[in-house]
Amino acid sequence: QVQLVESGGGLVQSGGSLRLSCVAVGRTSSTWSTFSGDNLGWFRLSPGKEREFVAGSTWGDYRKYYADSVRGRFTISRENDKNTVYLQMDDLTPEDTGVYYCASGTTYESRWPGDFDSWGQGTQVTVSS
């Protein structure tokens, strides 16, 4: 069974940076191509809000797409041979505080959580003012 495991969260001051990582564990070397064929996404759950899309990386052409609130500050990247996806977060603000989840699915360029069928346990990001 494949699991997604996030890391890299923490406490940072406003204007600071963090890099989140998410690795798919449980995949054998013979199935690494499955990861490269996944649409990968980062979502966050902030206090008082619903889970929202943050950034995504499509399968195939690996196109990157972002929520308007983070475009220009966050960068998603992936290393398929390592079954890993990253989220570089720069110029953080208190509004970026929340639990960040990575997810994988098969729907190209989706922003809807329902299109992602594997989820990590989340990593907390707290930005102080």
Side-chain angles (χ1 to χ4, degrees), residues 38-39 57-65 105-111 115-116:
D38 288 348
N39 199 69
S57 173
T58 63
W59 56 263
D61 57 0
Y62 306 129
R63 180 177 177 276
K64 303 174 183 180
Y65 55 108
T106 57
T107 304
Y108 184 86
E109 205 176 348
S110 177
R111 299 169 184 254
D115 283 333
F116 293 80

